């Protein structure tokens, strides 16, 4: 059994106003696996992700990272292990320059001097954004912001990368670039998105969430072939699969 | 440091309401005259920003405690004094209604302490005077710190004065001052640092936003005058409470003063209602407040207290307690019955 | 950042409560605002040593909560949380005011404790009244009521805008501060530098949003003044409501109901 | 020549910080036409749209609506004619309830009483959102917000509907609903988007913007068949035209 496994076990979350956002969610992620979590608006995707690094704590059930349940006492550990990229990169970039932003996490982890510099430069290199180091975040384009946001997380060398709607607002080229990067990145990944074509390319496994329950969990292609299931969950086939003259329809 | 209803007497509350309503009316009228239609959404979202910013904390090094931005001075620098006052006042109003932070009567005090003091007093009289037109780095730093400190100290001072003038708290004036002023020295320094940092951030990112406010303001003298008037009103109101042995002295002086400022809000609307009500209740013997500064003499003071204590003689403490319990039961019973009958009445409709 | 979420949820909750359909909800907001103000003024006009006389005043919020079918437990919980400042100042009273004021059998109660208890009761009363008013009326109607009672229109508009964008901006701020928290292990990263920079970014985004909003408003014919669409009516029911509660509050202000009741009962017993 | 024509003529715009967002943009829109404006992040799409209702004024060149140039003196007229739906519906819904929000424009136009009510009800009915009238905007879901934002604009019966990235953040079902609505709506439309599949379904004509210049202008299908052009402008074929990823054609 690998150390990097993530297990979500009968997770239930009720917001204080009574909204039952997650009712019964169970699945687990193996080391190196790419899992997509898809579902309609309000299905509970973002709520689920917020549990992975302990931002929200479960009402019942638990989240285990490497067999250790996430709870108040080991939040720091969970946050280092799970790197979270937010839906809106503007939320994530808050320091005056890109360099400082990427260095923020490692600094708080206690790195300094050349070690810190290497770490930051490495993270920026991986997302192909070294030339942006001195810029202010509010001067970046949407695609650049997204890449820098990923770098801020990579600099803490997380074991699992979690992304909320990463292709939102990107132009087709930047999107393609991001997909290429995600495919090359051999970490465990959990990605939520409404961009099912991206899911099809990046993730080998898909979990379908509907009104706070897991409706399906399996190989991505199989899920996307099940039209009845998709329709029920307010989804549809990825656009590139719609109307292919060769296979089906 | 929100002032609270429970610590306020109606006279002080009404006086501060009048002052704050006057300030808000003045600033609304000024903005109306300027007719800058960009300002409405900007003030709205900046109020939201202030509110949101107050929910984010940062840790103060070495103390383990955390602080946040109050924002009066920052908004004055960004928007000018009138818009800043309205924005701060609106944030305070939301806090009063939804979090009962402070309270409805104390709203007047809070608008004064956190809005009028930084925006209409400190900003035009201190910040603008000292900062000049093209400030250097050092000058800007010093002036911002000094202004933030001054705003905090004055705000804290007026909290103390309002509390003391109300006489509900037994905390002696000198001790209260010694408690509040040093705490707000620290808070003021932090406020200055945050204000400075945010302003210099904006100067780097969008310099054109700050350019709006850098020209000399033509109406600042009038504002200053208004500030002085308000200040005088406050001091007169506060001091007359201490000076006057006759309990009606303050009501009389406040009524006279508020009448004399001839702002329409004083005669119409809520403040008038408050003062009128106060006048009605004041016709009945007002309770002499036990002089808080002389704790040893409390029994004597109590014996001079005309009504409350006269009924609550030795034996009637028990009667009061029994009565309290019975009243609580009665109120709870009434509420339950009302709820039941309400449900019964609503159920057939639904 | 639990507090951001908590505060937002409270706002939304009160807002949802205000959409209830009881007759109290339908009452013109001005009536409720006026009655609440009379109530608060009466409550705070008591002297510092009066405790039992305050108790009957609970009838006002209790009736409104019951008739408005508001969740009493939730409101009580909120009341318990607020006004730390008043209680912190009030708790000093017992130390400075040690004179014995009351004898409850063998128990001697000092003036400080009585006035402290009085402060606590006042807090409970005023806070409950304010929250009840909001939960029965909703914020936008309260603003309109205040405009018709003399509040400047510019200020009312400002309040409505603020209320609308509170949710948007607080969520934005909540997400940003959450992002900072995720990367600041322990308290190390939460110092002034990152705080100021975070605020700066937030301010910048806020400003851009204001510019877009202004664009949206202009696009729909905004010329600097707001036109009101609807207005309520201050009818006989409203008048009755205000008169009844004002009269009751003033009577309770003049006669100590609890005391009278108590002496009646103890008089019987002895 | 129709009255409702929109002409953009040698438009140039420089932001105060010196960014030349539009350099030379010319095209025109006929009555009833659906035009998509596509391009990479930062190509100048949003800047262009801001000129259509006079929120930004050109540095040089001009925008003509019905042969009348948009300038300071006739802004009101331009704003009534061009209905603008923003990228973020939160920017557009600023009143306390949906009803008041939809009524805001007509009120400013001088409507009142039953006339106003009819107008608001009609606009809400067209986007299928009558049941939302009493709700506050912050209680709506993403798709509902988008529909209401469109209603706020429809209530002013504009001659041209302008939308900035309307499908952003919607789940596939809500997106499909929106596309259906846009197809049924026989007004002149100008739409910017990175969702090229939506463009393919909704707009018969496409303008490609790249670094502030019009790179191409023509029938949508033709443009999407020109791979070299698309690559140059940081775009790619709509996903449904890219061949099926499953069977690899
Ligand atoms: N802070 C909150 N308080 C109360 N309810 C909430 C809160 N956040 C989300 N919800 C509700 O919980 C449910 C799930 O929300 P969530 O944000 O997880 O959906 P999502 O799947 O991420 O949707 P989207 O695709 O639009 O991002 C929704 O019904 C939403 O209204
Ligand atoms: N207020 C501003 N000040 C200065 N430059 C700006 C401003 N707004 C936009 N820009 C710049 O103008 C250019 C065009 O921006 P615009 O927002 O029009 O792009 P867009 O095509 O809408 O991009 P996206 O697809 O990301 O929405 C960009 O380079 C941008 O950085
Ligand atoms: Mg989400
Ligand atoms: Mg854009």
């Amino acid at each position: 059994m690998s150390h990097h496994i993530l297990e979500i076990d009968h997770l239930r979350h009720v917001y204080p106003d009574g909204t039952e956002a997650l009712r019964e969610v169970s699945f687990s992620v193996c080391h190196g696996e790419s899992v997509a979590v898809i579902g309609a608006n309000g299905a509970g995707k973002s709520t689920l992700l917020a549990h992975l690094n302990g931002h929200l704590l479960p009402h019942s059930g638990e989240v285990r990272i490497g067999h250790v349940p996430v709870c108040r006492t080991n939040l720091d550990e969970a946050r280092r292990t799970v790197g979270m990229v937010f839906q809106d990169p503007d939320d994530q970039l808050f320091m005056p320059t890109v360099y400082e932003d990427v260095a923020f996490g490692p600094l708080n982890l206690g790195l300094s001097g050349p070690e810190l510099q290497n770490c930051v430069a490495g993270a920026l290199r991986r997302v192909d954004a070294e030339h942006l180091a001195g810029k202010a975040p509010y001067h970046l384009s949407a695609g650049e912001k997204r890449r820098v946001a990923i770098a801020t997380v990579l600099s803490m060398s997380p074991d699992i990368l979690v992304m909320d709607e990463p292709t939102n607002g990107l132009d087709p080229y930047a999107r393609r670039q991001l997909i290429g990067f995600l495919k090359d990145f051999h970490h465990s990944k959990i990605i939520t998105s409404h961009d099912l074509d991206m899911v099809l390319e990046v993730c080998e496994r898909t979990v379908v969430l509907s009104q706070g329950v897991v409706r399906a969990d399996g190989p991505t292609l199989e899920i996307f072939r099940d039209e009845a299931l998709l329709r029920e969950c307010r989804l549809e086939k990825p656009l590139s699969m719609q109307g292919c003259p060769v296979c089906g329809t | 440091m929100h002032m609270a209803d429970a610590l306020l007497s109606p006279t002080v509350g009404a006086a501060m309401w009048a002052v704050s309503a006057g300030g808000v009316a003045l600033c609304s009228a000024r903005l109306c005259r300027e007719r800058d239609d960009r300002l409405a959404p900007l003030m709205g979202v900046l109020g939201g920003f202030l509110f949101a910013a107050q929910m984010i904390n940062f840790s103060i090094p070495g103390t383990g405690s955390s602080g946040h931005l109050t924002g009066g001075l920052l908004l004055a620098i960004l928007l000018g004094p009138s818009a800043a006052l309205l924005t701060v006042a609106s944030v305070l109003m939301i806090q009063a209604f939804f979090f009962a932070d402070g309270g409805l009567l104390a709203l007047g005090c809070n608008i004064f302490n956190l809005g009028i003091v930084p925006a209409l007093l400190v900003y035009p009289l201190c910040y603008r005077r000292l900062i000049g037109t093209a400030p250097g780095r050092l000058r800007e730093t010093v002036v911002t710190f000094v202004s933030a400190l001054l705003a905090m100290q004055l705000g804290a001072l007026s909290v103390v004065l309002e509390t003391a003038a109300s006489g509900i708290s037994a905390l002696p004036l000198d001790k209260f001052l010694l408690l509040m002023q040093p705490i707000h020295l620290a808070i003021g320094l932090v406020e200055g640092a945050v204000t400075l940092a945010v302003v210099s951030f904006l100067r780097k990112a969008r310099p054109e936003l700050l350019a709006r406010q850098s020209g000399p303001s033509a109406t600042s003298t009038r504002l200053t005058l208004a500030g002085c008037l308000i200040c005088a009103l406050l001091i007169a109101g506060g001091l007359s409470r201490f000076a006057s042995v006759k309990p009606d002295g303050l009501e009389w002086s406040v009524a006279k003063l508020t009448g004399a400022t001839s702002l329409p809000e004083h005669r119409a609307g809520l403040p008038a209602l408050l003062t009128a009500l106060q006048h009605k209740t004041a016709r009945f013997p007002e309770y002499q407040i036990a002089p808080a500064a002389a704790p040893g003499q409390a029994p004597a003071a109590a014996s001079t207290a005309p009504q409350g204590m006269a009924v609550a003689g030795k034996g009637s403490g028990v009667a009061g307690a029994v009565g309290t319990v019975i009243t609580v039961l009665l109120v709870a019973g009434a509420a339950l019955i009302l709820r039941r009958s309400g449900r019964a009445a609503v159920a057939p409709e639904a | 950042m639990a507090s951001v979420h908590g505060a937002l949820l409270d706002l939304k909750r009160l807002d949802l409560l205000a959409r209830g359909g009881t007759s109290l909800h339908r009452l013109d907001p001005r009536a409720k605002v006026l009655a609440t103000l009379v109530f608060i003024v009466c409550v705070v006009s008591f002297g510092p040593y009066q405790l039992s006389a305050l108790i009957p005043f609970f009838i006002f919020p209790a009736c409104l909560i019951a008739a408005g079918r508001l969740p009493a437990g939730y409101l009580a919980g909120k009341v318990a949380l607020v006004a730390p400042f008043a209680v912190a100042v009030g708790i000093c009273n017992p130390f400075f005011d040690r004179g014995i004021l009351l004898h409850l059998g063998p128990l001697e109660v000092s003036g400080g404790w009585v006035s402290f208890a009085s402060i606590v009761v006042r807090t409970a009363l005023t806070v409950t009244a304010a929250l009840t008013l909001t939960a029965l009326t909703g914020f936008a109607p309260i603003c309109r009521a205040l405009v018709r009672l003399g509040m400047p229109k510019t200020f009312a508009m400002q309040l409505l805008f603020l209320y609308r964008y509170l949710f948007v901006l607080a969520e934005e701020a909540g997400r940003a501060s959450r992002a900072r928290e995720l990367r600041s292990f322990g308290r190390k990263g939460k110092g002034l530098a990152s705080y100021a920079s975070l605020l700066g970014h937030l301010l910048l985004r806020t400003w851009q949003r204001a510019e877009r909003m202004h664009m949206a408003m202009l696009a729909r014919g905004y010329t600097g003044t707001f036109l009101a669409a609807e207005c309520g009516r201050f009818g006989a029911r409203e008048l009755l409501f205000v008169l009844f509660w004002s009269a009751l509050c003033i009577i309770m202000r003049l006669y100590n109901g609890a005391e009278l009741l108590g002496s009646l009962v103890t008089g019987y017993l002895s």
Side-chain angles (χ1 to χ4, degrees), chain B residues 2 6 43 45 47-48 57 59 69 90 93 97-99 170-171 206 269-270 274 295 314 317 323 335 339 343, chain C residues 37 41 66 69-70 78 82 85 93 96-97 101 103-104 123 134 146 149 158 162 169 180 190 195 211 214 258:
Chain B
H2 283 50
M43 280 159 55
V45 289
N57 291 322
S59 52
L69 180 77
S90 66
M93 198 141 162
F97 273 105
F98 281 89
F99 307 118
L171 205 58
R206 294 275 301 270
L270 301 175
L274 293 181
K314 289 267 166 185
R339 178 148 242 173
R343 199 160 290 161
Chain C
L37 280 175
V41 169
R69 303 162 67 75
L70 303 176
K78 283 205 67 173
V82 293
F85 179 68
N93 284 9
F96 291 102
D97 183 358
L101 199 65
H103 295 270
L104 283 176
T123 306
T134 315
L146 289 178
L149 291 170
Q158 150 70 10
L162 168 60
L169 292 175
R180 184 179 64 140
K190 298 174 83 175
Y195 176 76
E211 282 167 354
H214 183 235

Side-chain angles (χ1 to χ4, degrees), chain A residues 13-22 38-49 56 87 164-165 192-194 209 212, chain C residues 5 8-9 12 171:
Chain A
H13 188 85
V14 183
Y15 278 109
D17 66 350
T19 316
E20 206 179 8
L22 298 176
I38 64 176
N41 288 128
K45 303 183 294 297
S46 301
T47 310
L48 175 64
L49 295 195
L56 294 178
Q87 181 165 350
D164 201 352
E165 314 208 10
T192 78
S193 190
H194 296 307
L209 221 57
Chain C
H5 266 283
L8 276 188
L9 285 171
K12 284 193 180 168
E171 264 164 31

Side-chain angles (χ1 to χ4, degrees), chain A residues 146-161:
Chain A
R146 178 71 63 181
R147 294 216 303 277
V148 171
I150 296 176
T152 63
V153 166
L154 288 186
S155 67
M156 302 194 296
S157 40
D159 297 323
I160 308 169
L161 192 62

Side-chain angles (χ1 to χ4, degrees), chain A residues 15-17 50 53 55 76 79-80 84 86 88 90-96 101-102 104-105 108-110 137-138 152 156, chain C residues 1 5 9 12-13 16 172 174-186 188-190 193-194 197-198 201 204-205:
Chain A
Y15 278 109
D17 66 350
N53 55 19
H55 177 71
D76 281 356
R79 284 173 184 168
R80 224 199 46 65
M84 176 93 164
F86 284 61
D88 184 352
D90 276 328
D91 290 332
Q92 198 151 10
L93 305 177
F94 49 80
M95 295 298 281
D101 226 317
V102 178
F104 185 81
N108 288 324
L109 282 177
Y138 43 84
T152 63
M156 302 194 296
Chain C
M1 226 38 268
H5 266 283
L9 285 171
K12 284 193 180 168
R13 175 109 192 233
L16 286 178
E172 214 167 85
R175 286 195 304 266
S177 95
R178 180 177 147 199
R180 184 179 64 140
E181 206 176 321
L182 286 183
R183 288 193 279 148
S184 54
F185 301 88
K188 269 184 237 149
K190 298 174 83 175
S194 70
S197 168
L198 191 143
H201 273 109
L204 205 61
R205 288 166 73 188

Side-chain angles (χ1 to χ4, degrees), chain C residues 86-148:
Chain C
V87 174
V89 172
I91 197 71
C92 298
N93 284 9
F95 297 103
F96 291 102
D97 183 358
R98 293 170 188 274
I100 302 307
L101 199 65
L102 268 186
H103 295 270
L104 283 176
L107 197 66
E108 293 187 330
V109 184
S110 77
W113 282 111
V114 175
S115 59
F116 172 56
S118 166
I119 288 179
V120 171
V121 172
R122 279 156 201 265
T123 306
L125 280 172
T126 51
V127 167
T128 320
L131 288 180
T132 311
L133 172 65
T134 315
L136 280 179
T137 316
F139 191 69
I142 289 181
C143 279
R144 282 190 209 109
L146 289 178
V147 166
R148 301 175 83 189

Side-chain angles (χ1 to χ4, degrees), chain B residues 9-15 105 241 247-248 250-252 254-255 270-284 286, chain C residues 38 41-42 44-46 250 253:
Chain B
S9 76
T11 22
V12 176
L105 190 70
R241 182 74 188 192
D248 283 349
L250 180 63
E251 278 114 8
W252 179 80
V254 166
L270 301 175
L273 197 89
L274 293 181
T275 18
L277 220 124
Q278 172 60 28
H279 275 301
K280 282 203 195 86
T281 54
R283 227 172 274 146
F284 301 91
E286 173 105 68
Chain C
V38 171
V41 169
C42 284
V44 297
S45 69
F46 279 104
I250 290 170
R253 173 66 185 83

